[in-house]
Amino acid sequence: MQKKKLLSMALTVVTTTAMLVTGCGASSQSAQGETQDTAQTTAEAPKTETETETPASTSESTGEKVHITYAQWGNETETAATQAVADKFNQSQDEIEVEVIKIDHDTYVTKLNAMATAGELPDTAIMSEAGVLKFAENGLLADISSMYGEGDSKPLDSITFKYQGTPVAYSAANEVLNLWYNIDLLEEICSKQGLNVADFTPPASADSAWDWDTFVKIAQTLTVDINGNNALSPDFDPANVDVYGCTVNTLPWQLEVWAKSNGGGYYSADGKECTINDDATVEALQKIADLSDVYHCAPPVTSAANALESSLGSKKVVMATDGTWNVGTFLGPSADFRYGVGVLPYMKEKVTICTGGPNVVFATTKHPEEAMTWLKWYYQEENSWSLIEAGTWMPILDKWYTDDEFTNKWIDNPNYPDHDMYKSAVVDYARENSQSTAWYYINATDEFNATLDSAFSAVWSGDQTMKEAIDEYYDELNDIFSTNN
């Protein structure tokens, strides 16, 4: 009874962290445009050696398959699509049978709570990024460090959720932040001002990334008022801007990248301290506010400005920061302009951050090895190829970032921008310059970021400096951190 009570309490704690993965780019969302469950609808996967692999199980053969359950929050169509992929796994070997459990999106954690109380948690499940470590802290997630062995292509370390250094989940897809731009608008502005387009095109390589001051100056040059004056001109009218040079996504989880770039961070690298009030962090975040308030090269911050659909899509912003999922959710299928992608500008360090919703093995499963065998098979990119091909997801296994054969299968695709541009600005950048978003190693990031969003609102409105806002909220932010870590 005591164990069931502990499980119930642990799940209740994370009720508010439930569903951050259901839509990309939204103001309260994390990153992944579609849940894992929609990944298998039209998968026309490239032929690779992984298709012929038979998953191995360490359980003793009894003549009957071990039954493994996988919970997800999809609708009927998504659940059927997921079960179809599970059936492919079931037919590929004789030891494990996977059953997909449908749980309604809005009641997902409530249902898991009830299942925990009844001692009936599934073997495996999809989860939100922000909820993973709370489950791990309460002993609900299995150590999955044995899922990949010597010689296996492994998930990138940056998308590995770790509790006290132990892997407890891998993201089902990878996403990184980049600088995206409207090629048509860039060429139009440069033509009108007599500028060389090449000098104002965001670099696609970390080696040639713009430093912050260069980025700001370029953004000012590309910002023009209704009279055709750019933001560097003494005649510029900031009250009547026609086209802005840039915008930076101000979702708190995304703003962490600038703190890291400036040598700071929301938390210390070892996850033991809350460093949101560190001078380097405050300075970096103030620089984001200054784009609008001081340099007038970015629009005033609103929630609508967070999405590429409303920034680049307005055709009134030349460059905007956001995640790679936009290739599949907006830029590739919907944008009526040519677009390009570059690396982020940098303050001190050339860095991007990554994210992606995970699948987990619950510690209560009676069949951890079989559960890991299933998820390892499920993680294969061939099983989510439709989303990768569309550009909504990026692969997780390192071979797709290091082996040209696999990389080319991934990015030789009309849905994507220029091959060499994408390879350098996204594939190489993700491999060499990506760091984990905080929820990979910090608890309660959802509550922390929601409070941080409240602090930032006074800065975006011009009522406070970033230092004043963070000083005002620091005790609350530090309390959230220290209580949960």
Side-chain angles (χ1 to χ4, degrees):
M1 181 64 68
Q2 183 64 31
K3 183 175 183 180
K4 290 183 180 180
K5 182 178 179 181
L6 172 61
L7 296 176
S8 178
M9 290 175 60
L11 285 164
T12 300
V13 169
V14 298
T15 298
T16 59
T17 74
M19 260 46 87
L20 299 184
V21 189
T22 57
C24 64
S27 60
S28 65
Q29 309 287 326
S30 53
Q32 292 187 225
E34 302 179 51
T35 64
Q36 168 125 357
D37 320 313
T38 63
Q40 3 294 338
T41 54
T42 58
E44 294 288 337
K47 302 296 183 181
T48 74
E49 70 273 12
T50 58
E51 292 184 314
T52 62
E53 291 177 358
T54 300
S57 171
T58 59
S59 62
E60 295 181 5
S61 178
T62 62
E64 294 184 1
K65 287 189 173 185
V66 171
H67 184 255
I68 296 293
T69 51
Y70 172 75
Q72 49 87 46
W73 56 68
N75 58 29
E76 295 290 349
T77 300
E78 293 169 335
T79 301
T82 306
Q83 185 62 62
V85 176
D87 288 344
K88 180 181 176 183
F89 170 79
N90 294 340
Q91 294 162 10
S92 71
Q93 40 73 51
D94 299 323
E95 296 181 331
I96 305 169
E97 185 83 15
V98 174
E99 175 191 359
V100 177
I101 298 175
K102 174 188 174 298
I103 301 177
D104 289 341
H105 177 283
D106 294 338
T107 60
Y108 192 76
V109 171
T110 302
K111 177 64 174 178
L112 286 183
N113 184 30
M115 296 171 79
T117 301
E120 298 174 351
L121 275 171
D123 299 290
T124 61
I126 190 170
M127 287 191 64
S128 71
E129 295 99 324
V132 171
L133 294 192
K134 179 56 66 176
F135 273 68
E137 178 188 34
N138 287 281
L140 294 172
L141 299 186
D143 175 354
I144 60 167
S145 56
S146 63
M147 185 181 293
Y148 292 89
E150 189 69 29
D152 285 342
S153 181
K154 300 177 177 61
L156 298 175
D157 188 63
S158 57
I159 54 172
T160 303
F161 291 81
K162 298 177 182 178
Y163 178 66
Q164 296 181 346
T166 298
V168 293
Y170 299 114
S171 291
N174 190 16
E175 309 283 1
V176 296
L177 303 184
N178 283 87
L179 182 62
W180 306 86
Y181 57 98
N182 182 328
I183 295 175
D184 296 334
L185 188 57
L186 174 65
E187 290 181 351
E188 177 186 334
I189 297 297
C190 287
S191 176
K192 288 180 178 179
Q193 296 198 65
L195 304 172
N196 183 354
V197 174
D199 294 336
F200 292 83
T201 298
S205 167
D207 291 340
S208 55
W210 289 330
D211 62 46
W212 187 255
D213 290 341
T214 299
F215 169 67
V216 172
K217 186 174 181 179
I218 285 174
Q220 287 182 285
T221 306
L222 296 175
T223 299
V224 294
D225 65 18
I226 58 175
N227 298 311
N229 301 307
N230 70 35
L232 292 172
S233 168
D235 298 321
F236 176 72
D237 182 1
N240 289 286
V241 176
D242 182 33
V243 175
Y244 287 99
C246 73
T247 187
V248 167
N249 192 306
T250 55
L251 289 173
W253 79 265
Q254 290 203 27
L255 288 176
E256 183 190 15
V257 73
W258 306 110
K260 287 177 174 289
S261 180
N262 204 40
Y266 293 179
Y267 314 96
S268 60
D270 60 9
K272 295 181 179 180
E273 295 181 68
C274 173
T275 57
I276 189 69
N277 64 341
D278 180 81
D279 288 345
T281 299
V282 173
E283 179 186 51
L285 296 173
Q286 183 63 55
K287 286 182 177 182
I288 304 304
D290 290 348
L291 291 173
S292 299
D293 299 339
V294 177
Y295 300 107
H296 310 295
C297 59
V301 175
T302 65
S303 59
N306 285 322
L308 287 191
E309 291 93 326
S310 56
S311 55
L312 294 191
S314 71
K315 299 183 182 177
K316 293 295 183 180
V317 175
V318 181
M319 306 177 290
T321 68
D322 211 346
T324 47
W325 60 84
N326 283 280
V327 172
T329 60
F330 170 58
L331 294 170
S334 305
D336 58 352
F337 56 85
R338 292 179 297 152
Y339 76 94
V341 59
V343 298
L344 297 175
Y346 69 98
M347 295 178 183
K348 294 178 182 176
E349 305 292 334
K350 298 176 181 180
V351 61
T352 185
I353 54 175
C354 63
T355 191
N359 288 307
V360 301
V361 175
F362 287 110
T364 50
T365 180
K366 296 179 180 178
H367 308 287
E369 295 300 325
E370 289 81 1
M372 284 189 281
T373 294
W374 148 242
L375 286 188
K376 180 181 178 181
W377 182 92
Y378 193 34
Y379 275 137
Q380 292 178 128
E381 280 74 8
E382 292 77 23
N383 293 317
S384 56
W385 192 252
S386 61
L387 288 179
I388 293 173
E389 186 175 45
T392 308
W393 283 16
M394 292 166 56
I396 66 168
L397 298 180
D398 53 19
K399 66 183 179 184
W400 294 88
Y401 297 82
T402 59
D403 186 322
D404 285 343
E405 179 183 355
F406 285 93
T407 300
N408 291 335
K409 287 176 182 176
W410 164 22
I411 68 175
D412 282 343
N413 184 330
N415 292 329
Y416 285 56
D418 174 78
H419 174 283
D420 292 344
M421 174 193 293
Y422 191 89
K423 182 180 185 302
S424 178
V426 177
V427 180
D428 296 343
Y429 194 45
R431 185 187 68 241
E432 300 295 336
N433 298 89
S434 180
Q435 295 184 22
S436 301
T437 306
W439 45 56
Y440 283 93
Y441 60 98
I442 296 292
N443 260 332
T445 53
D446 57 330
E447 185 181 355
F448 188 95
N449 287 343
T451 303
L452 200 54
D453 202 25
S454 298
F456 288 159
S457 63
V459 182
W460 309 143
S461 66
D463 294 328
Q464 288 185 317
T465 65
M466 190 61 69
K467 178 172 174 48
E468 289 170 341
I470 290 179
D471 283 349
E472 178 180 335
Y473 277 84
Y474 178 72
D475 288 344
E476 182 177 351
L477 290 163
N478 189 53
D479 184 60
I480 292 169
F481 169 80
S482 59
T483 300
N484 294 281
N485 291 278

